[in-house]
Amino acid sequence: MVQSRREVRILLLGEPGVGKTSLILSLVSEEFPEEVPARSEEITIPADVTPEKVPTHIVDYSSLEQTEDQLLAEILRAHVICVIYAVDDEDTLDKVTDYWLPLVRQTLGEEHSTPVILVGNKVDLVEYSTLEAVIPIMNEFAEIETCVECSARTLKNISEMFYYAQKAILHPTAPLFNTAERDLTEACKAALGRIFKICDMDNDGLLSDTELNTFQRRCFNAPLQPQGLDDVKSIVMKNVRDGVVDDALTLDGFLFLHCLFIQRGRHETTWTVLRKFGYGDDLTLTKEYLFPPLRIPPGCSTELTHQGYQFLQVMFEKYDQDKDGCLDPEELIQLFSTCPYIPWGKQVYNTVPTDSRGYLTLQGYLSQWTLWTLLGAGRTLEYLGHLGYSYVMEEPQSAAIHVTREKRLDLQKKQTSRTAYQCHVIGPKGAGKTTFCQGLLNRNAESVSSVLESDLSKQTISPVQVYGQERYLLLCDIDVHSVTDTLLPSEAQCDVVCLVYDVADPRSFEYIGGIYLKYFAETPVPCLVVGNKSDRGEVRQQYMAQPGEFCRRHRLPPPQTVTCTGTVRRDVYLKLATMAAYPRFLPAWMLFSRSGRHLRSMGLLPRDNSGWMKLGLGLAAVVCGGFLLARYARFLHQ
């Protein structure tokens, strides 16, 4: 929940002799002081003895002891201003409109937002009320929240006066309610509309008894009693047409209830709800709510936790109205209806897996969120906040983000616990990097050619299976600066590198050979050489070493040849993910595949591979053991 102000500063203004100091001293000592000084020192009331549990500073002003500059400084510092007049002295009330309220406006600006409380003191001395005379003043000065009459001598309404002052700043009326129109402000309606959508968990446009009880419990820590629910719906039905449909509350009914709360002076009820959902005093979502602190040390990355994926799947199922396992464009619009705008453009359909119609599957939807989180958790946190993560999951959205351990430690242990790997795809122009990246989504060159270039993404991401466990592989198409053949520092940092060349172009391998020697030969980043367009036939490369020899010389896995025509082979993507999962470690597929035999024939692996076999079997045992333990833990959890 968004916290309200950490403190309240109340300033008392008014003519000499109206009882400003007496009001303060009577509140503190709970008795009228027989001797009253010219001015009271600043009083601080601890949070635990105030109704709103907020430290409150009460500041007195005396023209006898303070200068005009000090007065203006105190007005600027005040959170709420109490302008005091004496009910038995009409001149002091005239001074409120002739001097004090104009001075406040002159100091703070005509459109200032500092609330003002009018306080008529000394009601013990008269038998009439001045409230009728105050109404025109309140109409003229919109900043006046309320007026209260009290007596410092008899202690009448003293506590109420300071409570109203606190309430005016902690639960202001102006952002919520348009007094002239007797209706909620548009900003308040928009905020409550978002809250209604988040609480409507089955997305039927209604709040059922179950959903209302959940709302009540999570906002106020207490369920509604059955009789209370019936009373609420009865009030709505009497006042709002279609406020209750099928024994459930509509949005119009929900808005009416909050309008009723405010009209009855229960602003704190609506503010409690608004702050639970992240709203500040200006009815915008606060930075504190959208961007909770998340420390990401250098060398670490960010991933979604199990709770994060669980919430996103709940959102997917909520807005998959036709239950076809996909989100069509209209359903996607509805999913982001509680957000400021739809963050995913047309490129998303060429970034993640889709169905045959081009709609987002659950796999593609989760892949896009994984991409966002891997490249920077800030946007993920922000949109989880807009979607209502903290309400649905009952924990801050930072719990949806896992910060991985440093990559340095992964290299030391020769394996990583990360579940998403970033692969930079580097190669010369015309080598087929775009089609190679789209191949991760099972799309061949023919299907890619039908897509507008502006709709294609430089990134693709999809789940792959690494030793039976689902991992996400993100391919990033890197455009090397052609003039100098240079990479930016960020472009050389990733989990694995895929160096792509065109096997049918004799000058193509020279490019990636130079890139490897310049940027990756002395680094621990795993590299895989991929010869694309193998359907066109391989030609001899005009370079100091042929691809196979180059890889053998630099102790790289042998080149992998692929084609982007026809059926897409997925084994190369599996190899990239495996290399990212086990940096500095020779993957098992190299030991037992034709590639492993090829390496042995070239002398990179020993012909007597019993040691490697034992290592491979040991690795397999560790992986299988971990998999079984995970399943056993899940079984126990269930």
Side-chain angles (χ1 to χ4, degrees), residues 359-416:
Y359 295 165
L360 281 185
T361 61
L362 175 61
Q363 188 183 70
Y365 165 82
L366 296 179
S367 294
Q368 178 67 12
W369 282 103
T370 303
L371 167 65
W372 260 23
T373 309
L374 182 61
L375 297 184
R379 279 192 305 178
T380 299
L381 287 172
E382 178 185 1
Y383 273 82
L384 289 178
H386 284 298
L387 292 171
Y389 179 92
S390 59
Y391 174 81
V392 175
M393 303 301 289
E394 298 187 84
E395 61 183 13
Q397 60 258 37
S398 56
I401 306 296
H402 168 64
V403 179
T404 67
R405 71 185 181 192
E406 294 181 49
K407 188 174 290 188
R408 171 180 57 84
L409 298 177
D410 287 345
L411 293 171
Q412 289 177 0
K413 295 181 177 296
K414 299 183 180 180
Q415 71 177 56
T416 180

Side-chain angles (χ1 to χ4, degrees), residues 280-386:
D281 290 349
D282 60 355
L283 290 187
T284 61
L285 295 176
T286 65
K287 289 185 178 179
E288 171 194 14
Y289 172 78
L290 291 177
F291 303 102
L294 183 68
R295 182 175 173 271
I296 307 172
C300 299
S301 63
T302 47
E303 299 177 349
L304 287 163
T305 61
H306 172 71
Q307 298 98 304
Y309 282 117
Q310 183 181 9
F311 169 77
L312 293 171
Q313 185 163 345
V314 167
M315 291 295 102
F316 183 94
E317 293 169 353
K318 174 179 177 177
Y319 288 98
D320 179 17
Q321 288 288 276
D322 53 11
K323 305 303 177 187
D324 64 348
C326 296
L327 292 180
D328 62 36
E330 181 57 34
E331 290 170 339
L332 195 61
I333 290 172
Q334 289 302 313
L335 187 146
F336 286 112
S337 61
T338 60
C339 305
Y341 57 86
I342 301 174
W344 301 344
K346 290 183 178 179
Q347 286 191 340
V348 69
Y349 300 107
N350 296 295
T351 303
V352 300
T354 60
D355 73 348
S356 58
R357 299 167 294 178
Y359 295 165
L360 281 185
T361 61
L362 175 61
Q363 188 183 70
Y365 165 82
L366 296 179
S367 294
Q368 178 67 12
W369 282 103
T370 303
L371 167 65
W372 260 23
T373 309
L374 182 61
L375 297 184
R379 279 192 305 178
T380 299
L381 287 172
E382 178 185 1
Y383 273 82
L384 289 178
H386 284 298

Side-chain angles (χ1 to χ4, degrees), residues 11-157:
L11 172 64
L12 273 62
L13 301 178
E15 293 297 295
V18 296
K20 301 186 298 296
T21 306
S22 297
L23 287 169
I24 297 173
L25 297 179
S26 293
L27 174 73
V28 174
S29 64
E30 297 186 347
E31 62 181 8
F32 183 73
E34 295 301 328
E35 295 184 6
V36 181
R39 174 176 171 267
S40 167
E41 294 295 324
E42 180 176 320
I43 300 295
T44 298
I45 302 177
D48 57 355
V49 298
T50 63
E52 298 295 335
K53 305 302 180 185
V54 176
T56 302
H57 307 279
I58 303 175
V59 181
D60 194 6
Y61 168 72
S62 171
S63 58
L64 299 177
E65 293 192 0
Q66 292 173 287
T67 66
E68 184 175 351
D69 287 343
Q70 289 175 311
L71 168 61
L72 299 182
E74 288 294 355
I75 291 174
L76 289 169
R77 291 182 64 195
H79 297 145
V80 60
I81 298 172
C82 292
V83 181
I84 317 297
Y85 66 94
V87 296
D88 66 334
D89 186 346
E90 190 174 338
D91 289 342
T92 62
L93 182 57
D94 291 339
K95 276 287 191 177
V96 169
T97 54
D98 295 343
Y99 177 72
W100 291 109
L101 291 176
L103 175 65
V104 170
R105 280 191 174 182
Q106 181 182 347
T107 306
L108 299 176
E110 289 291 325
E111 303 297 327
H112 75 87
S113 59
T114 301
V116 173
I117 306 294
L118 283 186
V119 180
N121 190 24
K122 304 186 181 182
V123 294
D124 58 296
L125 300 180
V126 299
E127 294 182 357
Y128 56 84
S129 172
T130 60
L131 292 181
E132 187 174 343
V134 166
I135 291 176
I137 301 175
M138 295 180 68
N139 292 335
E140 181 182 355
F141 294 89
E143 59 265 45
I144 299 176
E145 284 281 326
T146 190
C147 178
V148 58
E149 292 184 333
C150 60
S151 170
R153 182 175 295 277
T154 65
L155 307 184
K156 180 180 180 179
N157 287 343

